[in-house]
Amino acid sequence: MMRALLALFICITAAVGVAEASGPASPDTAESAAAASELAARSGLPESELKDFLADCNANQQSMYFCAWRDQIVAQRVFERLLADKMQSMPACKSALESRAADWARSRDRSCARSALKQWGDGSMRRTAQIICVTGETARMTKRIQRMRGCRPGR
């Protein structure tokens, strides 16, 4: 029970982070649809089956997992689009941004994997917790890139 409540808290926290990073408006329907299509391609499940999982993110563990994965895809797409825009508007920073983004992504993935393993061990929620962590960290980095005025993201 405690783990289920903790997982719900993590989901809500990650969702708030993604919403804050993408702005005050609700998630873009087209972005969510594109993410669902990408999720179907990555998972090998038909979109019709995924719709059932994504309809109620709290219905069961599989729904939580697929909703977290979808949210991660959306956060990553928003991040990549913003990064591309920054590179285009600041061409002198392109190389530094690419290098920093790649280093950051590797560090984020390692950190989230360690955190999820520590929190959940080999439990069935570990992968979902890892994805939620990645989503939150991606949302935070997106905010930093948004504030960027030179070749280094704002702190």
Side-chain angles (χ1 to χ4, degrees), residues 4-69:
L5 290 173
L6 183 57
L8 181 59
F9 174 76
I10 290 169
C11 289
I12 292 169
T13 302
V16 168
V18 169
E20 288 175 355
S22 62
S26 61
D28 184 293
T29 305
E31 189 69 52
S32 292
S37 292
E38 186 174 334
L39 181 56
R42 288 187 191 187
S43 68
L45 293 174
E47 284 190 53
S48 59
E49 191 173 329
L50 280 173
K51 277 185 181 181
D52 293 339
F53 288 124
L54 299 174
D56 181 3
C57 294
N58 296 318
N60 55 48
Q61 193 170 346
Q62 282 184 309
S63 289
M64 289 175 71
Y65 173 76
F66 283 111
C67 287
W69 196 3

Side-chain angles (χ1 to χ4, degrees), residues 79 82 86 97 141-148 153:
F79 172 76
L82 178 64
K86 285 292 182 178
L97 281 169
M141 183 55 106
T142 299
K143 288 173 117 177
R144 290 178 69 196
I145 296 293
Q146 283 175 328
R147 294 190 309 258
M148 198 175 111

Side-chain angles (χ1 to χ4, degrees), residues 33-132:
S37 292
E38 186 174 334
L39 181 56
R42 288 187 191 187
S43 68
L45 293 174
E47 284 190 53
S48 59
E49 191 173 329
L50 280 173
K51 277 185 181 181
D52 293 339
F53 288 124
L54 299 174
D56 181 3
C57 294
N58 296 318
N60 55 48
Q61 193 170 346
Q62 282 184 309
S63 289
M64 289 175 71
Y65 173 76
F66 283 111
C67 287
W69 196 3
R70 177 207 52 211
D71 294 347
Q72 191 274 323
I73 290 170
V74 169
Q76 188 65 34
R77 290 169 63 97
V78 168
F79 172 76
E80 289 171 359
R81 189 171 46 249
L82 178 64
L83 188 62
D85 290 348
K86 285 292 182 178
M87 284 189 252
Q88 185 176 11
S89 68
M90 297 186 295
C93 299
K94 183 178 180 187
S95 178
L97 281 169
E98 287 174 333
S99 175
R100 179 155 171 100
D103 291 345
W104 163 79
R106 282 190 296 274
S107 175
R108 171 202 64 189
D109 293 346
R110 282 192 307 270
S111 176
C112 287
R114 281 192 308 270
S115 175
L117 183 61
K118 181 178 179 183
Q119 182 179 14
W120 295 96
D122 285 330
S124 59
M125 284 296 294
R126 185 185 74 182
R127 184 71 181 128
T128 302
Q130 185 174 340
I131 292 170
I132 291 168

